[in-house]
Amino acid sequence: MTKGRFAPSPSGRMHFGNIYAALISWLSAKKDGGAWLLRIEDLDKQRCKREWADRLMDDLLWLGLDWDEGPGKKSLQDQNCTAAKSYYQSERDSIYKKYFRALEERGLVYDCFCRRADLLAASAPHASDGTPIYAGTCRKLSAADRERLLKERSPAKRIRLPDRESIFVDGHYGPQKCKLARDAGDFIIRRADGNFSYQLAVAVDDALMGVTQVARGRDLLMSTHQQLFLYEALGLQKPRFLHFPLLVDKEGRRLSKRDKDLDMGYLRTRFSPQEIIGKLMFLCGMSPSCKPMNLQEAAAIFVWNKLPQEDIVVGEWGRKDS
């Protein structure tokens, strides 16, 4: 059976773009009678708060997007340790440590002392999401330099990527390939503050939670290559990936929590769940108009090949700009 998932970060109120992502992943999983899992990606303990997690779950339920597995459910089969029953990543550190150590034992992890400011200021190429591609500076540290730097500050931990090609077929964008060392670069799997990275946590969690389908924004296409490397290195079963276009404004800027673009506080006071679903189905090219519809009606007309590959420009509320 298909098992999809939605894994939001509770760093603020959900907005129109988040709802769109949740709806597409729900429809993709439910279209064929599958299950939909909710996981709270609150690895960043400084930015993510439990009250925002509670609020986003209330917003999902208001829209009718109930989950089959997740907070408040009892169907998780992951039995690795006592933290396995949690769908909050902040409570799963003991699991991530196990897989982190497995990577260390294989000699795939090394210390990185580079500061973020140094990386951003460097003239290295950048990935599609704007992050700099790491040049491998700390790969080349001598033992003496490493010991000296350890006395000054705690290092982040990076994964050592091979100089080979990574290939996968995306369910919406088709064949994807990159040179891991050149195009992805050695990425962080544990930050200097001890928090595990998104890349490691998401790969481990999707595998242990039995996720078979990951539907998410196209800005994470490069992350898929990084996660596929981790699946292979850790001997984990990988899911099928389907990426969808982003919702952007007229300047091509992705809708974000920081800019308060049509957040749920605004939407819930002005529109019904059916109106929001209908407008999203129109924007996605599934419906010829913005007529209100429920989730069952949306599922009946949802097909991936109607979803555009280019980003969707959202103008005035309920109108799609070309």
Side-chain angles (χ1 to χ4, degrees):
M1 182 181 73
T2 296
K3 183 189 286 187
R5 56 84 160 161
F6 180 55
S9 176
S11 58
R13 189 75 182 264
M14 282 206 305
H15 58 77
F16 198 47
N18 300 134
I19 300 162
Y20 159 72
L23 178 64
I24 296 298
S25 67
W26 189 93
L27 291 172
S28 187
K30 293 292 187 176
K31 179 74 175 179
D32 299 318
W36 193 59
L37 179 147
L38 176 66
R39 183 173 67 240
I40 305 300
E41 296 197 340
D42 56 347
L43 286 169
D44 190 333
K45 301 175 181 67
Q46 288 72 44
R47 293 179 62 245
C48 298
K49 301 184 183 300
R50 187 59 64 96
E51 54 262 36
W52 285 121
D54 293 340
R55 183 67 63 86
L56 76 82
M57 287 187 280
D58 182 68
D59 286 337
L60 289 173
L61 292 174
W62 180 80
L63 287 161
L65 296 171
D66 196 3
W67 49 97
D68 301 289
E69 294 186 26
K73 310 290 182 178
K74 298 181 179 180
S75 53
L76 183 59
Q77 299 301 310
D78 176 359
Q79 299 296 324
N80 283 284
C81 68
T82 54
K85 295 180 181 178
S86 179
Y87 292 90
Y88 293 86
Q89 287 187 331
S90 61
E91 298 175 352
R92 293 174 63 83
D93 272 9
S94 56
I95 296 175
Y96 306 142
K97 284 178 184 176
K98 170 186 172 181
Y99 290 93
F100 173 78
R101 287 170 184 154
L103 294 170
E104 279 190 315
E105 289 168 3
R106 291 193 55 190
L108 294 173
V109 178
Y110 65 91
D111 291 339
C112 177
F113 299 91
C114 298
R115 293 185 172 93
R116 179 173 174 80
D118 298 331
L119 296 173
L120 292 174
S123 58
H126 286 62
S128 59
D129 63 358
T131 58
I133 297 172
Y134 188 60
T137 306
C138 289
R139 261 194 187 207
K140 310 161 190 172
L141 285 177
S142 66
D145 284 339
R146 180 179 176 277
E147 289 303 315
R148 174 180 57 80
L149 288 166
L150 279 172
K151 295 175 182 178
E152 298 176 6
R153 57 183 179 272
S154 298
K157 303 288 185 176
R158 287 188 184 270
I159 195 80
R160 191 186 306 273
L161 290 181
D163 186 18
R164 65 169 172 82
E165 200 167 57
S166 170
I167 301 173
F168 77 96
V169 178
D170 183 71
H172 188 53
Y173 286 95
Q176 304 291 314
K177 65 180 180 178
C178 80
K179 287 282 191 178
L180 284 172
R182 182 194 68 193
D183 301 326
D186 297 347
F187 55 92
I188 290 175
I189 57 171
R190 192 170 192 177
R191 295 181 352 190
D193 62 8
N195 286 339
F196 288 99
S197 76
Y198 162 79
Q199 305 292 12
L200 178 65
V202 73
V204 168
D205 285 347
D206 281 345
L208 297 185
M209 294 179 182
V211 172
T212 64
Q213 179 191 100
V214 173
R216 61 189 184 185
R218 63 146 190 89
D219 55 318
L220 292 171
L221 275 165
M222 182 56 71
S223 286
T224 305
H225 291 288
Q226 297 171 327
Q227 290 156 26
L228 286 171
F229 176 79
L230 292 175
Y231 283 114
E232 178 184 332
L234 294 168
L236 298 173
Q237 183 67 38
K238 63 180 181 293
R240 181 185 183 218
F241 291 92
L242 301 101
H243 290 80
F244 46 77
L246 307 177
L247 295 189
V248 298
D249 65 13
K250 293 179 180 180
E251 285 72 45
R253 178 181 56 86
R254 182 175 58 178
L255 305 187
S256 69
K257 294 173 186 173
R258 181 179 302 171
D259 298 309
K260 304 294 182 184
D261 289 293
L262 296 178
D263 72 15
M264 284 297 288
Y266 171 89
L267 297 176
R268 286 182 65 161
T269 62
R270 290 163 174 81
F271 305 101
S272 69
Q274 294 77 19
E275 287 175 310
I276 293 171
I277 293 166
K279 292 175 191 296
L280 282 169
M281 294 303 283
F282 166 68
L283 289 171
C284 293
M286 307 291 166
S287 174
S289 71
C290 292
K291 69 174 183 178
M293 65 177 69
N294 59 38
L295 285 170
Q296 290 68 37
E297 292 169 326
I301 62 173
F302 176 80
V303 285
W304 273 95
N305 61 15
K306 283 190 177 181
L307 195 64
Q309 293 197 346
E310 65 276 8
D311 288 344
I312 301 167
V313 179
V314 181
E316 294 177 6
W317 171 241
R319 181 167 61 81
K320 177 169 56 178
D321 287 359
S322 58

